[in-house]
Short mmCIF file of all heavy atoms in Angstrom, two decimals:
data_model
loop_
_atom_site.label_atom_id
_atom_site.label_comp_id
_atom_site.label_asym_id
_atom_site.label_seq_id
_atom_site.Cartn_x
_atom_site.Cartn_y
_atom_site.Cartn_z
N VAL A 5 -20.00 -1.45 -2.84
CA VAL A 5 -19.59 -1.98 -1.52
C VAL A 5 -18.92 -0.84 -0.69
O VAL A 5 -19.31 -0.69 0.40
CB VAL A 5 -18.58 -3.23 -1.73
CG1 VAL A 5 -18.09 -3.54 -0.34
CG2 VAL A 5 -19.33 -4.31 -2.32
N LEU A 43 -3.52 -3.69 25.63
CA LEU A 43 -4.62 -4.20 24.65
C LEU A 43 -4.03 -4.52 23.28
O LEU A 43 -4.53 -5.38 22.69
CB LEU A 43 -5.69 -3.09 24.60
CG LEU A 43 -6.80 -3.16 25.58
CD1 LEU A 43 -7.67 -1.93 25.68
CD2 LEU A 43 -7.68 -4.40 25.41
N SER A 60 2.32 -11.08 -1.57
CA SER A 60 2.90 -12.11 -0.87
C SER A 60 4.34 -11.62 -0.30
O SER A 60 5.09 -11.04 -1.04
CB SER A 60 3.11 -13.33 -1.66
OG SER A 60 3.79 -14.28 -0.95
N ILE A 64 2.71 -7.51 8.20
CA ILE A 64 2.11 -6.43 9.06
C ILE A 64 1.98 -7.00 10.51
O ILE A 64 1.91 -8.25 10.77
CB ILE A 64 0.67 -6.11 8.46
CG1 ILE A 64 0.00 -5.10 9.26
CG2 ILE A 64 -0.18 -7.51 8.49
CD1 ILE A 64 -1.38 -4.65 8.70
N GLU A 65 2.09 -6.07 11.49
CA GLU A 65 1.96 -6.53 12.82
C GLU A 65 0.55 -7.11 13.02
O GLU A 65 -0.55 -6.55 12.61
CB GLU A 65 2.03 -5.34 13.85
CG GLU A 65 3.61 -4.83 13.80
CD GLU A 65 3.82 -3.87 14.94
OE1 GLU A 65 2.98 -3.58 15.73
OE2 GLU A 65 4.99 -3.27 14.96
N LYS A 66 0.45 -8.23 13.76
CA LYS A 66 -0.82 -8.89 13.95
C LYS A 66 -1.73 -7.92 14.65
O LYS A 66 -3.01 -7.97 14.30
CB LYS A 66 -0.62 -10.03 14.77
CG LYS A 66 -1.81 -10.94 15.04
CD LYS A 66 -2.35 -11.58 13.79
CE LYS A 66 -3.41 -12.68 14.06
NZ LYS A 66 -4.55 -12.16 14.76
N ALA A 78 -16.19 -2.29 10.49
CA ALA A 78 -17.05 -1.33 11.23
C ALA A 78 -17.64 -0.30 10.16
O ALA A 78 -18.76 0.11 10.32
CB ALA A 78 -16.26 -0.57 12.32
N ILE A 82 -21.53 0.34 9.98
CA ILE A 82 -22.07 1.71 10.25
C ILE A 82 -22.70 2.29 8.98
O ILE A 82 -23.81 2.96 9.08
CB ILE A 82 -20.84 2.70 10.71
CG1 ILE A 82 -20.36 2.18 12.05
CG2 ILE A 82 -21.39 4.20 10.72
CD1 ILE A 82 -19.03 2.89 12.44
N ALA A 86 -28.90 2.88 9.69
CA ALA A 86 -29.55 4.14 9.44
C ALA A 86 -29.69 5.06 10.80
O ALA A 86 -29.98 6.15 10.61
CB ALA A 86 -31.00 3.84 9.11
N GLY A 100 -19.70 8.29 -3.30
CA GLY A 100 -20.71 8.25 -4.43
C GLY A 100 -20.32 8.88 -5.59
O GLY A 100 -20.68 8.44 -6.74
N SER A 124 0.21 0.49 21.21
CA SER A 124 1.33 0.26 20.27
C SER A 124 2.32 1.27 20.39
O SER A 124 2.08 2.43 20.62
CB SER A 124 0.77 0.27 18.83
OG SER A 124 1.87 0.40 17.94
N ALA A 139 -12.38 16.82 15.79
CA ALA A 139 -12.85 15.91 14.73
C ALA A 139 -14.35 15.68 14.73
O ALA A 139 -15.01 15.36 13.68
CB ALA A 139 -12.23 14.50 14.83
N GLY A 172 -14.45 -12.44 14.47
CA GLY A 172 -14.26 -13.63 15.41
C GLY A 172 -13.99 -13.32 16.82
O GLY A 172 -13.71 -14.21 17.66
N LEU A 185 -11.30 -9.04 27.41
CA LEU A 185 -10.89 -8.31 26.22
C LEU A 185 -11.94 -7.42 25.65
O LEU A 185 -11.72 -6.16 25.48
CB LEU A 185 -10.46 -9.32 25.11
CG LEU A 185 -9.97 -8.65 23.77
CD1 LEU A 185 -8.82 -7.70 24.12
CD2 LEU A 185 -9.59 -9.73 22.75
N LEU A 192 -12.26 1.35 26.70
CA LEU A 192 -11.32 2.24 26.04
C LEU A 192 -12.08 3.26 25.16
O LEU A 192 -11.89 4.51 25.18
CB LEU A 192 -10.34 1.47 25.23
CG LEU A 192 -9.30 2.39 24.40
CD1 LEU A 192 -8.49 3.27 25.29
CD2 LEU A 192 -8.49 1.49 23.53
#
Side-chain angles (χ1 to χ4, degrees):
V5 170
L43 272 168
S60 178
I64 182 174
E65 289 187 7
K66 181 69 166 62
I82 293 169
S124 167
L185 180 59
L192 175 64

